[in-house]
Structure formats: structure tokens, C-alpha cells
């Protein structure tokens, strides 16, 4: 039998029983759509987290005061159970590390900002001019905090986009005097809206010089020190050097935690990658179920078409031709289901992206290929048994059946 | 003299039903020459259909040999037998056996489609056949839109489309009234007149009487052959 004839024959056989065909295609489609949507969710979550982390800045090493619990028992900690302050001097010392490109200390606290009768509670972050380089931030207007001695700060502030909108509305903000806590500060810049930054949304923050913030909150310790390594390869050396410098400055005690963004990212990447694989596996089970359905429906079809199979044999069809006809039909139904499911899955993912624009719910290419492939393979594999049964029918008995 | 079209010798066909054995055909010897018109008659269960199935290579004997056009066909593989069926044998059944989802023309074309004949040649031969059998205006109708006589004409057109050497018909008029039955018989006899060997199984004595050679079967054996 010629290939186009085989295809037409299988198509006619499939459309000859529309209900059966629609149900089968639907079952297959749901399986494939489940793979596409679930992996889109899993991979979307992975991408979302990674984007959030990446938006903090690249080649980042973060120094936190206090020893992380994973370090085990440390006799030094047992004696001085409150960790030493992480100070601006410590931060400045880190600049000596050869693998370090930039350092930016951060002190945080909450305060009130008021201007022209409007009042709002805000997060105040004390930092230095280097902050925008380390975090790769853009300015919407004006400039960031002035460079200079970290221990002395001018009476100036930079505000995030949300703060700007809420405090000034349509009025110009640049150059205005505002009151933050008990200080009068001049707005020198407005940050471009970012809407991102894990845990700290820069849109809602007022930035002031770090010295000013420490005076306002009457504290010497820093919340974080952000360190930018010279390159990706320099991240690990930078981490070691930073740890060593702080240790020396703190009388040999390792009382800070140094984390690299890479390590955190890699962990999340692995975790969420595994999660995606897991849901893909679960969705694949529904494909296997669809495959078993294909087999059963095809078996019923063989029984219903016994007389026809007998006739085909009487007309000179070989067992191979009959096998090919039934396999083609199973493959065709699976393919139709897979393509329909693919479209359905993409529509589902698009709907999720429409409802949650921040969530990148795109199915990964490997999952789509695996889903379509599995659908086709299961359809064909489970189609083999019915096709063989059809090919082996005894023509005399098949013909005598009505 | 040339070998006979069909030569059966010592054919046995035994069915096993649980413990009991049914001898559907016993030590059957039979020769049929090309171009003959043979009616096979006999009581129900005498083995007529079994004989026809063996002649059509749909069934294999338990013993004996079957030579078709001088060639031993009992030892052929299933694939080779399918090829012989495709090229040398045409079947006409009592219940027509048309594929319900295919049109009349597609049913007629089916043996050529299965044999892999090119679409253009198929179309030409089907058009000619539909013309010859008075089905030209029914070509695109499905079997359930045709009368019994029309259905059997489609089946006969299908049986002849590959230009077989022999046509095997098992009660071809069994599901038809007398007038349509006669029409179908005349059609088959017309084919025989053109040289096709015709073997018809029938219960109908009048129909059997029209054949030039009549075989009477009883209990799996040939009881009477009008040629001897
Ligand atoms: N598949 C089978 N299994 C068991 N016995 C069978 C089978 N096919 C036929 N027989 C038996 O073989 C014998 C001959 O059957 P066959 O169908 O050839 O008869 P027939 O002459 O065509 O009868 P009818 O005129 O009723 O069609 C019968 O006794 C029948 O019961
Ligand atoms: Mg019979």
C-alpha cells in the first residue's frame, strides 16, 4: 500500500468513529497539555527566583554580621555570644582585597519622610556612592549620593520611584528639601523604577549617606556589606579574602557570614530544576495512561472491524499492510492529540503569564519535545498490540463475523 | 495439454471442536480448467464454504495438495498467498462485505489500493468498471445508500478490478430477491463468457442448473460431479 493511501485509509477509519476519536485525542491532549503547563510553572518559578537574585547585581559577595549556624561550634562565639559590630571601617578595609572591585556598606532602619504636609513611613538605607555600581542601578533623575569620605555625609537623599510618586505626585522632586526623622535633607536624585530586588524593593527606599544613617539610628553596625568581585572567577578568592580580612580585624574571630550569590543561585537552580523534572514526570504518567487508553480503544476497534480485516485479507492485504494501517491510525490519533495538547498547554501558559505578568511561565524546550515525543511513542507502542492482533486474525473466521 | 487451473488432490480439512473432530473435507480430488463455470451444491454443513475458502487461499488444508495454475500454493508463505489472492482470485460474498465508510468507487478501488497501484491508473479502471456495472451515478454513494443489488454489483466490480483468473462466489444471491439475484447471476455469467473461471456455491437448484458443471457435496466429500 502506498504511504498516501495508508494515511488516507487510517484517517477515514479514525473519522469513521468521531466520538471514539475525539475522546482519544482529548485524553492524549490533556496529557501533553499537563506536561507543558506544569513544566512552564516549574521552570517559571526557577526563572523568577533567578531573575530576582540576578537583579541584586552580578559577581556579588555579601557580608552579614554574625556567624551562620552551619559553621558548627566555635569556642570564640561561646565566650562573646554577641557578635562584634560590622563597621564602616571593616567595609573600607575590604577594598584592600585584590579580588575585590567595589565595596558598598549598608545600614538600614525605618523612619518617616515628610514634605509639604505629606507624611510616610519609609525604609532608610545608609550607603555610599558605590552602591549603584555594585547593584547595577539606574537613575531616573539627578545623581546618586556623592562620592567621598564614608565617615562624613552631606545632607542629601536619593529616593525610589514609589516614594517619589507618593510624596511629590506630579510636582518635581529634584532639589526639594524633605524631613527624614529629625534631619532636613535635599533630594539629589530619583532611582529608576525596578520593582525587583529580593527582600528589598529599591522603589520604596530612601537612600542617605551611611554616616548620616548611623547617626540617625544611633548605631555603629552595618546591616550588610555588598562586595563586588572583579570577575566571575574572582568570586571565590574574594570570598576567602573578605573572610580573612574581617577575621584579622575582629581579633581572629570569624564572626561574620560571607555568602556568594552564585552559591545561592546554584542551590535554587538545582532545587527548582529538580522540581520541574518532578512535575514533568508526574505529567508524563498521564501520558502513559493516555497510551493505555489508546491501546484499549484500538483493541475495541479491531474487534468492531473484524469483518473488515477479514475482507482486506481476502482482497490481498498482507499481515504487514494491516499492521501498518492500524499503527498509522494509532500514530495519527496520538499525533493529533499531541499537537492539540501542545496548543492547549501553550494557551494555558499564556493565560498564566497574562494573569501574573511578573511570572515567566514559559515551558522549557526540553519538556515540550519530551512531552510530544512521549505522546507519539506511547501511542505507537500501545498501538503495536492491537495492530498485531488485527494482522493475525484468521480471515475465514473474521469474514464469518457480522 | 496445459495444466488445469485448479488441481486438488487428497485434500483433508479437519476442525477440532473440544474433543470431537469435524471432517469438513475428506480426501477431495478435483480439477477445474480455466474458463469453466462450476456450481457447488449440497446440504448445509457439507463443506461447500470450506472448499471455497481453501480454493481462495483463506484457509490451509490439513493434508493434500493444491496446485493453482500449475504451482503448488499450499506451501507458500502467508505473504506469497496474499499476493496470489490479490492478483489471481476475486471473492464475492453473500453479505457483500463492503467497507461502510468508503464510497462505492473507493470500495471498488480497494484491491488496487492495497496492491499499491498508482492513483491515476486506479481512477481510470474504477471509472471504467463503474460504467460497465451501471454504477456510474452511484460512484460517490456509501454502501448504506445503495440497494442490495447495487451493493452486490459493487462487490462484483471489486472482485474483477484486479482481473483475476478465478471468481469465487459463496451464495452471491442469498441476500437478494429473485429478480435482483438473476441480474447478479447474469453479470457473473457475462464475466465467465469473457473467460474468467467462475465457481459459485449455491443452495438454489435453479441457479445451480445454469452452470455447465455441477458438483454435489455431502459430508465433506464429492458425491457427484456432472463432468464425470
Ligand atoms: N471454524 C470452524 N470450526 C469448527 N467447525 C467448522 C468450522 N468451519 C466449518 N466447520 C464445520 O465444517 C463443516 C462444513 O462447514 P461449511 O461451512 O463448509 O458448510 P457449508 O456447506 O458451507 O454449509 P452452509 O450451506 O450452511 O453454508 C460443518 O460441519 C461446520 O460445522
Ligand atoms: Mg457455507
Amino acid at each position: 500500500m502506498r504511504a498516501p493511501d495508508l494515511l488516507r485509509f487510517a484517517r477515514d477509519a479514525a473519522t469513521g468513529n468521531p466520538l471514539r476519536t475525539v475522546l482519544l485525542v482529548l485524553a492524549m491532549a490533556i496529557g501533553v497539555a499537563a506536561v507543558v503547563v506544569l513544566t512552564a510553572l516549574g521552570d517559571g518559578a526557577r526563572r523568577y527566583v533567578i531573575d530576582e537574585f540576578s537583579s541584586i547585581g552580578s559577581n556579588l559577595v555579601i557580608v552579614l554580621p554574625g556567624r551562620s549556624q552551619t559553621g558548627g561550634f566555635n569556642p570564640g562565639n561561646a565566650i562573646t555570644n554577641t557578635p562584634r559590630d560590622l563597621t564602616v571601617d571593616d567595609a573600607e578595609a575590604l577594598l584592600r582585597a585584590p579580588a575585590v572591585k567595589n565595596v558598598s556598606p549598608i545600614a538600614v532602619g525605618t523612619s518617616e519622610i515628610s514634605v509639604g504636609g505629606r507624611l510616610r513611613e519609609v525604609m532608610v538605607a545608609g550607603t555610599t556612592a558605590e552602591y549603584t555600581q555594585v547593584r547595577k542601578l539606574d537613575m531616573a533623575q539627578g545623581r546618586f549620593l556623592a562620592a567621598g569620605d564614608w565617615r562624613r555625609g552631606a545632607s542629601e537623599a536619593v529616593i525610589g520611584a514609589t516614594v517619589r510618586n507618593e510624596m511629590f505626585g506630579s510636582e518635581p522632586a529634584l532639589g526639594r528639601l524633605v524631613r527624614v526623622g529629625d534631619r532636613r535633607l535635599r533630594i539629589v536624585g530619583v532611582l529608576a523604577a525596578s520593582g525587583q530586588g529580593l527582600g528589598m524593593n529599591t522603589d520604596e527606599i530612601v537612600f542617605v549617606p551611611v554616616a548620616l544613617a548611623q547617626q540617625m539610628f544611633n548605631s555603629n553596625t552595618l546591616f550588610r556589606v555588598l562586595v563586588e568581585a572583579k570577575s566571575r572567577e574572582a568570586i571565590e578568592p574574594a570570598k576567602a579574602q573578605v573572610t580573612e580580612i574581617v577575621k584579622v580585624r575582629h581579633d581572629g574571630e570569624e564572626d561574620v557570614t560571607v555568602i556568594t550569590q552564585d552559591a545561592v543561585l546554584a542551590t535554587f537552580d538545582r532545587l527548582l530544576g529538580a522540581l520541574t523534572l518532578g512535575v514533568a514526570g508526574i505529567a508524563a504518567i498521564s501520558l502513559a495512561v493516555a497510551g493505555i487508553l489508546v491501546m484499549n480503544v484500538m483493541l475495541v476497534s479491531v474487534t468492531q472491524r473484524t469483518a473488515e480485516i477479514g475482507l482486506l485479507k481476502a482482497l490481498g492485504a498482507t499481515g504487514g499492510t494491516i499492521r501498518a494501517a492500524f499503527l498509522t491510525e494509532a500514530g495519527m490519533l496520538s499525533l493529533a492529540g499531541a499537537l492539540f495538547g501542545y496548543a492547549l498547554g501553550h494557551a494555558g501558559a499564556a493565560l498564566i503569564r497574562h494573569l501574573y505578568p511578573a511570572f515567566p511561565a514559559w515551558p522549557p524546550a526540553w519538556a515540550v519535545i519530551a512531552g510530544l515525543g512521549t505522546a507519539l511513542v506511547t501511542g505507537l507502542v500501545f498501538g503495536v498490540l492491537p495492530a498485531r492482533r488485527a494482522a493475525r486474525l484468521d480471515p475465514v473466521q473474521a469474514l464469518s463475523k457480522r | 495439454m496445459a495444466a488445469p487451473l485448479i488441481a486438488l488432490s487428497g485434500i483433508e480439512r479437519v476442525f477440532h471442536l473440544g474433543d470431537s473432530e469435524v471432517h469438513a473435507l475428506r480426501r477431495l480430488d478435483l480439477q477445474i480448467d480455466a474458463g469453466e463455470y462450476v456450481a457447488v451444491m449440497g446440504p448445509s454443513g457439507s463443506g461447500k464454504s470450506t472448499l471455497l475458502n481453501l480454493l481462495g487461499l483463506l484457509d490451509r488444508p490439513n493434508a493434500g495438495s493444491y496446485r493453482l495454475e500449475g504451482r503448488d500454493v499450499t506451501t507458500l508463505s502467508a505473504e506469497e498467498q496474499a499476493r496470489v489472492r490479490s492478483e489471481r482470485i476475486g471473492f464475492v460474498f453473500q453479505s457483500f462485505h463492503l467497507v461502510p465508510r468508503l464510497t462505492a468507487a473507493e470500495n471498488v478501488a480497494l484491491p488496487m489500493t492495497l496492491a499499491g497501484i498508482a492513483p491515476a491508473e486506479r481512477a481510470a479502471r474504477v471509472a471504467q468498471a463503474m460504467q460497465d456495472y451501471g454504477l456510474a451515478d452511484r460512484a460517490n454513494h456509501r454502501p448504506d445508500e445503495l440497494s442490495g443489488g447495487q451493493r452486490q454489483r459493487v462487490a462484483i466490480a471489486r472482485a474483477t478490478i484486479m482481473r483475476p483468473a478465478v471468481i469465487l462466489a459463496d451464495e452471491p444471491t442469498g441476500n437478494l430477491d429473485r429478480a435482483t439475484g438473476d441480474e447478479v447471476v447474469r453479470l457473473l455469467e457475462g464475466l465467465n463468457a469473457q473467460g474468467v473461471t467462475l465457481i459459485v456455491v449455491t443452495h438454489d437448484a435453479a441457479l445451480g442448473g445454469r452452470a455447465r458443471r455441477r458438483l454435489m457435496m455431502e459430508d465433506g466429500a464429492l458425491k457427484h460431479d456432472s463432468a464425470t
Side-chain angles (χ1 to χ4, degrees):
Chain A
M1 211 164 166
R2 289 160 176 258
D5 291 327
L6 198 62
L7 289 175
R8 189 167 329 110
F9 189 83
R11 184 203 63 197
D12 289 349
T15 51
N17 194 337
L19 183 67
R20 170 187 78 107
T21 301
V22 164
L23 284 178
L24 251 193
V25 167
L26 210 61
M28 212 37 129
I30 288 170
V32 174
V35 170
V36 173
V37 169
L38 289 179
T39 54
L41 281 175
D43 205 55
R46 189 184 64 85
R47 248 183 272 188
Y48 181 75
V49 168
I50 287 172
D51 286 354
E52 290 286 272
F53 265 99
S54 304
S55 72
I56 297 173
S58 54
N59 304 337
L60 214 55
V61 177
I62 303 165
V63 187
L64 294 74
R67 183 89 189 102
S68 89
Q69 296 304 307
T70 53
F73 181 74
N74 182 335
N77 275 359
I79 303 161
T80 53
N81 44 12
T82 46
R84 219 164 295 233
D85 286 350
L86 183 62
T87 63
V88 171
D89 291 341
D90 289 336
E92 205 159 31
L94 299 182
L95 278 170
R96 293 202 309 267
V100 168
K101 183 176 171 193
N102 251 321
V103 173
S104 176
I106 308 172
V108 298
T110 52
S111 187
E112 281 172 345
I113 179 170
S114 67
V115 61
R118 263 182 262 200
L119 188 84
R120 185 191 196 273
E121 187 158 321
V122 286
M123 188 177 217
V124 176
T127 186
T128 61
E130 290 79 6
Y131 185 75
T132 44
Q133 286 142 45
V134 175
R135 293 257 344 237
K136 311 273 181 270
L137 293 177
D138 290 325
M139 301 300 295
Q141 285 174 292
R143 59 168 174 86
F144 199 68
L145 301 170
D149 189 348
W150 290 1
R151 272 163 229 85
R152 268 185 291 146
S155 291
E156 56 186 27
V158 173
I159 56 177
T162 309
V163 177
R164 197 220 93 94
N165 288 344
E166 288 183 11
M167 298 307 293
F168 297 100
S170 56
E171 296 168 34
L174 226 52
R176 295 280 296 271
L177 277 175
V178 296
R179 181 168 286 280
V180 177
D182 55 357
R183 310 261 166 171
R184 285 173 67 78
L185 306 174
R186 189 173 299 280
I187 307 282
V188 296
V190 178
L191 284 168
S194 74
Q196 286 187 319
L198 211 67
M200 248 179 30
N201 185 346
T202 54
D203 292 353
E204 309 223 5
I205 293 179
V206 174
F207 290 93
V208 301
V210 65
L212 213 64
Q214 288 189 321
Q215 285 164 29
M216 280 167 69
F217 301 124
N218 194 22
S219 144
N220 262 333
T221 193
L222 294 171
F223 170 65
R224 297 274 188 279
V225 179
L226 301 185
V227 178
E228 185 185 3
K230 284 196 166 127
S231 66
R232 212 183 154 74
E233 292 69 40
I235 291 176
E236 279 310 311
K239 182 182 175 184
Q241 291 160 12
V242 162
T243 310
E244 187 53 33
I245 289 172
V246 177
K247 188 174 171 183
V248 168
R249 290 181 55 85
H250 288 193
D251 304 328
E253 246 181 72
E254 215 180 296
D255 58 358
V256 291
T257 303
V258 182
I259 54 174
T260 62
Q261 188 192 6
D262 255 26
V264 177
L265 264 183
T267 306
F268 267 104
D269 200 16
R270 266 202 307 279
L271 197 74
L272 292 169
L275 187 82
T276 307
L277 216 59
V279 293
I282 292 168
I285 292 173
S286 69
L287 275 179
V289 172
I292 292 169
L293 203 70
V294 168
M295 179 167 75
N296 275 293
V297 169
M298 290 307 291
L299 281 176
V300 170
S301 176
V302 169
T303 309
Q304 282 174 344
R305 280 153 63 189
T306 298
E308 175 188 326
I309 294 162
L311 170 78
L312 293 177
K313 288 198 160 180
L315 296 183
T318 60
T321 301
I322 287 165
R323 203 161 43 235
F326 276 83
L327 261 185
T328 305
E329 191 179 336
M332 223 177 226
L333 291 173
S334 305
L335 183 69
L339 290 179
F340 182 45
Y342 177 75
L344 211 65
H346 268 291
L351 185 70
I352 293 170
R353 291 196 301 273
H354 179 73
L355 294 177
Y356 309 99
F359 192 76
W362 293 97
W366 64 261
V368 171
I369 292 166
L372 288 176
T374 315
L376 269 184
V377 169
T378 45
L380 285 177
V381 164
F382 284 104
V384 165
L385 182 72
R388 286 173 61 153
R389 181 170 294 186
R392 282 186 187 166
L393 279 179
D394 171 34
V396 174
Q397 279 174 20
L399 276 168
S400 66
K401 198 165 165 177
R402 300 268 178 125
Chain B
M1 204 194 136
L5 178 76
I6 289 167
L8 299 180
S9 66
I11 292 288
E12 295 268 352
R13 184 66 177 105
V14 184
F15 292 106
H16 296 270
L17 279 176
D19 293 339
S20 64
E21 289 189 341
V22 179
H23 285 262
L25 294 177
R26 303 169 193 267
R27 291 185 305 281
L28 198 75
D29 300 312
L30 178 65
Q31 293 203 352
I32 296 173
D33 287 326
E36 277 198 78
Y37 175 11
V38 182
V40 183
M41 299 196 286
S44 187
S46 57
K48 307 183 294 291
S49 296
T50 306
L51 173 62
L52 215 63
N53 290 334
L54 277 170
L55 291 177
L57 296 179
L58 293 175
D59 199 4
R60 287 173 188 265
N62 297 91
S65 85
Y66 172 14
R67 301 179 81 82
L68 180 66
E69 296 178 315
R71 176 183 182 201
D72 187 350
V73 286
T74 42
T75 55
L76 294 182
S77 72
E79 305 287 289
E80 289 166 326
Q81 289 197 337
R83 197 180 157 87
V84 173
R85 280 200 296 275
S86 167
E87 291 171 355
R88 308 308 296 155
I89 298 166
F91 288 95
V92 176
F93 306 96
Q94 177 176 0
S95 52
F96 321 132
H97 278 303
L98 301 181
V99 181
R101 62 173 180 280
L102 301 181
T103 64
E106 286 167 339
N107 267 289
V108 171
L110 197 51
M112 292 192 290
T113 310
L114 290 170
I117 290 174
E121 188 184 347
R122 248 154 48 196
R125 271 160 75 172
V126 168
Q128 184 60 48
M130 299 308 269
Q131 199 75 48
D132 294 348
Y133 292 91
L135 292 162
D137 55 340
R138 291 282 181 274
N140 294 315
H141 290 238
R142 282 177 212 287
D144 58 3
E145 299 162 348
L146 300 175
S147 73
Q150 286 169 339
R151 287 183 210 185
Q152 199 58 304
R153 289 215 299 270
V154 171
I156 292 170
R158 181 180 66 191
T160 55
I161 199 80
M162 291 292 286
R163 298 171 189 140
V166 54
I167 287 185
L168 304 173
D170 196 346
E171 315 251 14
T173 61
N175 280 4
L176 302 173
D177 61 44
R178 174 143 307 271
T180 12
D182 283 350
E183 201 183 304
V184 163
V185 168
R186 273 196 294 277
L187 207 56
L188 290 170
E189 288 172 353
L191 291 167
N192 175 246
Q194 290 165 34
V196 181
T197 309
L198 180 62
I199 303 175
V200 183
V201 166
T202 183
H203 272 122
D204 185 337
L207 178 51
R210 296 169 68 111
R212 283 194 297 278
R213 180 177 173 190
R214 287 169 302 281
L215 304 178
M216 280 302 294
M217 293 201 54
E218 200 175 288
D219 201 18
L222 203 56
K223 195 181 151 222
H224 176 75
D225 182 348
S226 67
T228 57

